[in-house]
Amino acid sequence: MRNLWINPGRAVLIGALLPLSVVPQLLAPELFRRIIDSSTFTAPSSSTWPLAVGYLLLALVGQGLTLGLTYLTTRLAATATTQLREELVEHALRQEPAFFRRFTPGELVERVDGDSGRLGEIVSGVLVDIVAQLLLAVGVIAALFYLDWRFGLLFTPFAIAMATLLSRQTGRALPHVAAERKIEAEVVGFIDEQVSGADDIRANGATPAVRQSLWALLDTSSEKGRRAAEMSARWPATIQGLSALSVVAALALGGWLHSMGLATVGTVFAALSYATLIRFPLARLTLRIQDVENAAVSLHRLDELRLMETRVDDGPTTLRPDDSAVVFDDVSFAYEGGPEVLSGLSFRLPTGQTMAVVGQTGSGKSTLLGLLFRRFDPTRGTIRIGGQDLRDLNVRALRDRVTYIPQSGRLLATTVRNNVALFDERVNDLRVESALRTVGLGPWLDQLPMGLDTALKPQDAPMSLGQTQLLNLARALITEPSVVLLDEPSAMLDPHTERHLKLALARFLRGRTAIVVSHRLDILDGVDWVLVLDDGRAAEFGERSVLAAEPASRFNTLTAVGRSPS
Ligand code: ATP
Ligand code: MG
């Protein structure tokens, strides 16, 4: 990932305007001194008016510069943040399942949206402001020297003391701010997950338990927030005290100089103005450095996100067009830190033939498909398609040739067309429509208010679970794969719809190598091979006709109980 992208032209312009923007503030007390010293107590002298007009102009120019700077920095931040968000989302989309087990949706939102926004603010206001305030602080000291070297001498140690305090205290609040941010992300994640499951929670009477967990989380969150605020507040409080002291010092020195005839009233007034003025850049700096602390936390968290690469290693080769036989050679697999879910699995499925995978819940059927799609790699053994080790294949090229419809397909918040074609513009409307009709969604499509352009929102295009499943299958039908992996394609369908689908699927799978996982054995009537999985092991593998003819086969036992009554 590149760093924050900054428009160089705008950055240069900001750099030029920045020093100019502090000049009006620095000149104002000096103008006041001249105005005061040029007047008598009864009437302003003739030279007072131009000075007063000068002051007015100065104020106007100052405002103009501030406006211009704000505009420029906001624009700068907007482009930088958008760029950053784009890159983060792109990064997340490239990742494998392990990434999404590590970062929950809520956490991802907080990082991609919250943290990058905070970094954007840093670019827009904070860094620019820090430079401006530093310039102002140095300018004030210089102006005090210009006024009278004794003022300069008095205030230099003050400023140095404050600067030392600043640097010493930087980072004190950091761990507390990080802890607060982490718990905030947890709260967002928790709410996000509970809201998506709201119906189930209500139906199961789990609302009080969820509420209690949320209260506990919020309790911790407010405690951490209080601690972070406390740590962050100490610093500005100290500085405020010091600044008040500086005003007293300016008054004392000014009064003494005046009584000795060494300073005019105007000079004392100007010194007092500068002494008051120096509080602002210093107090502001303290606040800004807190923002930088926050941004440092954000940066760290974004780094964590973007440094987590869960991509499977890419190989150079692509699949051969004519050979797509699937071979498992003594394959074992365990999820991160978990027990083995597939053990010593071996089978060979010839090109263009179909295989059913059956077995009890949790026996590893979906895992087997995931391995073939390279969502993860085996812990032992080799998987080959067309004689080539999957690990040597280019992942993108592999996935172009393998269509995988997972068990729980998700709908996207976009049009029907995009849900089927998955944003592939090469797929024309005719194909999308025909795929929908083939799976049996014709009548559903016909009553949509805007046809393929209808957004898949519950209010415009409500979908049952079965319809969702059919739409997922339509996604497969518009592809031209060599290998098809279907996980429970008909689990949510009624027997009538299932029969209709069976024909459509048989047509689609003709000539392709396919693995179909299903508990519903009707849909498997036409398959060539059967693999019975039992707790991650191949309990049985063979041609369907052979296994079906053998009364004692596991397949036959399963068929006897599994065939749906229709
Ligand atoms: P079902 O018929 O319910 O779909 P299945 O045969 O498809 O079951 P798998 O989803 O492959 O079963 O799961 C096999 C085993 O792996 C189960 O014990 C499950 O708990 C475990 N498992 C599945 N997914 C994960 C995961 N992401 N992380 C850790 N363990 C997992
Ligand atoms: Mg499964």
Side-chain angles (χ1 to χ4, degrees):
M1 194 177 77
R2 277 163 288 170
N3 292 318
L4 276 186
W5 186 83
I6 309 274
N7 178 322
R10 264 186 218 136
V12 167
L13 204 57
I14 289 171
L17 285 182
L18 208 54
L20 285 179
S21 71
V22 301
V23 168
Q25 275 166 289
L26 281 177
L27 282 184
E30 174 58 20
L31 265 175
F32 276 133
R33 183 183 72 78
R34 291 184 188 200
I35 290 171
I36 291 171
D37 287 345
S38 71
S39 316
T40 64
F41 279 105
T42 46
S45 74
S46 57
S47 62
T48 308
W49 292 115
L51 287 170
V53 171
Y55 175 72
L56 214 66
L57 282 177
L58 207 61
L60 276 176
V61 170
Q63 286 300 318
L65 281 171
T66 308
L67 261 176
L69 262 177
T70 311
Y71 171 79
L72 281 172
T73 50
T74 312
R75 286 291 302 271
L76 194 76
T79 37
T81 324
T82 309
Q83 181 93 8
L84 185 62
R85 287 195 178 132
E86 237 176 74
E87 281 180 28
L88 287 170
V89 169
E90 232 171 67
H91 174 76
L93 287 178
R94 273 201 311 265
Q95 303 306 314
E96 299 298 317
F99 180 87
F100 297 96
R101 285 198 288 277
R102 164 71 184 77
F103 297 103
T104 63
E107 252 190 295
L108 277 177
V109 169
E110 168 60 20
R111 291 189 192 208
V112 172
D113 190 58
D115 286 331
S116 57
R118 247 166 251 130
L119 279 185
E121 266 167 39
I122 286 287
V123 184
S124 71
V126 179
L127 289 184
V128 168
D129 203 30
I130 284 180
V131 176
Q133 301 308 328
L134 272 175
L135 281 175
L136 189 59
V138 171
V140 168
I141 296 291
L144 281 164
F145 266 109
Y146 168 78
L147 219 55
D148 189 304
W149 60 269
R150 281 160 285 218
F151 283 117
L153 222 54
L154 179 66
F155 276 94
T156 309
F158 250 106
I160 290 173
M162 287 182 189
T164 316
L165 253 177
L166 284 181
S167 58
R168 195 171 291 165
Q169 300 230 7
T170 306
R172 280 266 167 97
L174 209 69
H176 300 277
V177 174
E180 184 194 11
R181 201 68 59 66
K182 186 159 174 292
I183 188 101
E184 274 172 8
E186 264 172 53
V187 172
V188 173
F190 183 85
I191 292 175
D192 183 76
E193 275 143 37
Q194 304 308 319
V195 166
S196 0
D199 284 344
D200 291 341
I201 291 170
R202 244 193 318 258
N204 293 314
T207 315
V210 168
R211 195 177 294 146
Q212 220 162 35
S213 311
L214 182 62
W215 274 122
L217 210 55
L218 286 176
D219 236 24
T220 324
S221 159
S222 80
E223 174 54 28
K224 299 238 150 116
R226 196 185 57 73
R227 192 87 197 110
E230 196 183 288
M231 290 305 291
S232 310
R234 276 189 196 169
W235 191 18
T238 323
I239 305 279
Q240 287 278 339
L242 271 173
S243 326
L245 254 175
S246 74
V247 172
V248 174
L251 261 180
L253 179 62
W256 179 73
L257 285 175
H258 183 63
S259 70
M260 305 291 287
L262 293 168
T264 63
V265 176
T267 305
V268 176
F269 181 85
L272 203 58
S273 300
Y274 285 125
T276 319
L277 186 61
I278 202 164
R279 294 167 60 172
F280 293 111
L282 289 175
R284 186 86 168 233
L285 272 173
T286 64
L287 287 177
R288 285 321 201 182
I289 287 175
Q290 272 176 35
D291 290 338
V292 173
E293 281 179 17
N294 279 348
V297 175
S298 293
L299 200 64
H300 173 73
R301 283 156 39 104
L302 286 182
D303 259 357
E304 217 174 47
L305 185 83
R306 70 187 183 80
L307 290 181
M308 173 141 183
E309 275 287 351
T310 54
R311 297 182 66 180
V312 285
D313 291 331
D314 230 352
T317 42
T318 52
L319 279 181
R320 285 197 209 111
D322 53 333
D323 186 358
S324 57
V326 172
V327 173
F328 269 56
D329 187 2
D330 195 24
V331 170
S332 298
F333 176 76
Y335 287 98
E336 256 167 20
E340 218 164 61
V341 284
L342 289 179
S343 312
L345 196 59
S346 297
F347 66 83
R348 179 170 193 282
L349 174 64
T351 307
Q353 304 204 351
T354 47
M355 178 176 92
V357 182
V358 293
Q360 284 174 344
T361 295
S363 54
K365 304 181 297 292
S366 299
T367 308
L368 187 155
L369 295 192
L371 282 167
L372 263 173
F373 200 58
R374 278 204 86 190
R375 298 180 74 208
F376 15 79
D377 283 332
T379 28
R380 198 159 49 82
T382 323
I383 302 174
R384 293 194 197 88
I385 297 182
Q388 284 165 315
D389 191 333
L390 285 200
R391 275 176 283 221
D392 298 335
L393 291 172
N394 176 273
V395 177
R396 182 82 237 150
L398 168 79
R399 291 183 181 166
D400 275 348
R401 297 277 305 284
V402 177
T403 289
Y404 166 53
I405 301 296
Q407 199 164 3
S408 50
R410 291 235 166 201
L411 298 180
L412 307 171
T414 172
T415 59
V416 175
R417 178 191 296 102
N418 286 338
N419 261 287
V420 178
L422 295 176
F423 301 95
D424 188 342
E425 277 155 18
R426 291 166 301 178
V427 180
N428 64 31
D429 285 7
L430 227 61
R431 260 173 81 197
V432 173
E433 202 179 319
S434 129
L436 286 170
R437 290 195 192 284
T438 307
V439 296
L441 281 176
W444 172 81
L445 178 65
D446 289 335
Q447 47 86 45
L448 290 181
M450 290 164 72
L452 293 180
D453 287 318
T454 314
L456 269 191
K457 288 188 205 138
Q459 61 269 34
D460 294 343
M463 293 199 90
S464 72
L465 277 177
Q467 287 168 329
T468 307
Q469 190 157 39
L470 291 174
L471 191 128
N472 269 302
L473 276 170
R475 283 179 185 163
L477 297 195
I478 59 161
T479 61
E480 292 288 344
S482 309
V483 179
V484 184
L485 310 171
L486 300 177
D487 201 345
E488 295 284 2
S490 64
M492 304 290 180
L493 306 179
D494 65 86
H496 173 75
T497 314
E498 187 175 18
R499 262 197 301 277
H500 170 89
L501 188 73
K502 201 165 99 180
L503 295 173
L505 272 184
R507 230 173 301 136
F508 174 62
L509 295 183
R510 197 167 301 145
R512 306 188 203 271
T513 312
I515 300 184
V516 183
V517 168
S518 185
H519 285 295
R520 309 273 288 260
L521 296 158
D522 282 344
I523 199 109
L524 305 176
D525 275 350
V527 299
D528 307 302
W529 299 81
V530 173
L531 169 68
V532 181
L533 273 186
D534 189 2
D535 203 11
R537 294 172 193 279
E540 201 166 81
F541 174 70
E543 286 185 77
R544 199 188 84 92
S545 51
V546 175
L547 293 179
E550 202 162 310
S553 70
R554 286 286 297 266
F555 177 61
N556 257 337
T557 326
L558 278 167
T559 317
V561 291
R563 202 161 282 278
S564 58
S566 56

